[in-house]
Amino acid sequence: MLTYALVSQAIGLSGASGTRAGGSLLLLALAAHAQYLTLPPELTWLATPQALGAMVALLAFEMYTQRDSDLRMVLGLAQFALSAGSGATVALASVGVGTEGLPPWAVGAVGAFVAVSTLSLRQWLHTRVDHLETEVLRPRKWLLRIEDCFGLGLAAVAILWAPLALVLVLLFTAACAVAGWLAYRLEARGRRPCPAGCGARIRQEASRCPKCHADVPIARRLDLRLAGRMRDALQSALGSGTSGVSRADPSVRRGGGKLPSRLG
């Protein structure tokens, strides 16, 4: 019988697959290996040591590729396929292939849809956040760290206490929507109409329009040299004694002359 707990577990694990596909499969397999869950006969291979090792490698590979923009672009379609397959697998494993009155293909389709939807929402949020990246502000790095914890935590909650998993999926969806809207507003504040009249909105610090490629005056300069400021402060504090000698004797400042040999 299809219960609220089973539906919550299927949606929670599928949502975790859209965040960390390898993590949801790994935790599901570990729960089955520890006999906490009973897998359908068709999916008992998930709990084998070989499958567990493959899922650990898959999780590590997935977490690594998420941090590299080039790999993310190359493996874009593969990531969707991985999330869809993982979402379908964990949904079938949690609800059961032989559920009465519910065909297996429908269970797998729902799991794949939830996983792909979660992945699409994540990528949309990443696109918004990428525009806020500077030499100082790195919101995407912290977003990835949060997703690592959330994906594994959601999978664990779906296995241990399924009803909470559905609530977390809904909260994650709402949080992504709000965070994306805030990122869009913050990024829009730092833009202005292109002075060349092409209609594009360019950043305040831009010297060239990305649409019409026209040279434009810089409206605002950013000083992001935090390390440089600390170095300048240390040099001014520690090098005040030598700076007076350098100013008094140009040969010392040039580094090519010798100190005068006057002995009094």
Side-chain angles (χ1 to χ4, degrees):
M1 183 179 178
L2 197 62
T3 63
Y4 172 73
L6 288 177
V7 172
S8 300
Q9 187 177 80
I11 293 178
L13 287 171
S14 301
S17 295
T19 306
R20 290 289 177 264
S24 61
L25 287 171
L26 176 62
L27 291 180
L28 179 69
L30 286 173
H33 186 74
Q35 298 182 351
Y36 187 84
L37 289 178
T38 302
L39 295 176
E42 295 83 356
L43 298 174
T44 52
W45 59 270
L46 287 172
T48 61
Q50 295 83 357
L52 289 172
M55 291 168 195
V56 170
L58 176 63
L59 177 60
F61 175 76
E62 186 181 15
M63 294 174 68
Y64 173 76
T65 54
Q66 286 291 306
R67 285 161 172 75
D68 191 288
S69 57
D70 294 333
L71 287 176
R72 216 168 50 244
M73 292 176 61
V74 172
L75 301 175
L77 293 177
Q79 189 178 6
F80 272 98
L82 175 63
S83 296
S86 175
T89 301
V90 295
L92 288 169
S94 59
V95 175
V97 178
T99 302
E100 184 179 357
L102 195 62
W105 66 264
V107 177
V110 170
F113 174 77
V114 172
V116 171
S117 299
T118 305
L119 177 60
S120 300
L121 183 62
R122 283 180 52 225
Q123 292 188 346
W124 173 80
L125 179 59
H126 285 192
T127 302
R128 296 291 190 192
V129 169
D130 281 342
H131 293 298
L132 300 178
E133 291 279 329
T134 65
E135 296 181 14
V136 176
L137 185 65
R138 299 293 177 88
R140 190 175 177 280
K141 180 178 70 174
W142 293 102
L143 181 60
L144 287 172
R145 291 179 179 177
I146 293 173
E147 287 178 353
D148 289 340
C149 299
F150 178 81
L152 297 176
L154 178 61
V157 168
I159 294 172
L160 298 175
W161 190 21
L164 181 59
L166 182 58
V167 177
L168 291 178
V169 170
L170 296 176
L171 289 177
F172 175 77
T173 303
C176 283
V178 173
W181 178 77
L182 290 175
Y184 172 77
R185 293 295 301 270
L186 289 173
E187 199 269 339
R189 288 183 179 181
R191 291 188 174 269
R192 55 184 168 132
C194 175
C198 69
R201 294 189 62 82
I202 62 176
R203 296 183 65 87
Q204 299 284 354
E205 315 87 44
S207 60
R208 181 184 294 270
C209 176
K211 182 178 180 180
C212 65
H213 305 291
D215 293 331
V216 298
I218 298 175
R220 182 178 62 196
R221 295 183 181 274
L222 295 180
D223 186 7
L224 302 176
R225 301 181 311 109
L226 292 184
R229 291 177 183 175
M230 294 179 64
R231 184 174 60 249
D232 294 343
L234 287 173
Q235 287 178 349
S236 63
L238 300 177
S240 58
T242 59
S243 61
V245 176
S246 299
R247 285 192 296 267
D249 193 343
S251 64
V252 177
R253 186 170 64 248
R254 287 194 300 268
K258 297 182 180 179
L259 287 173
S261 59
R262 282 177 287 204
L263 301 178

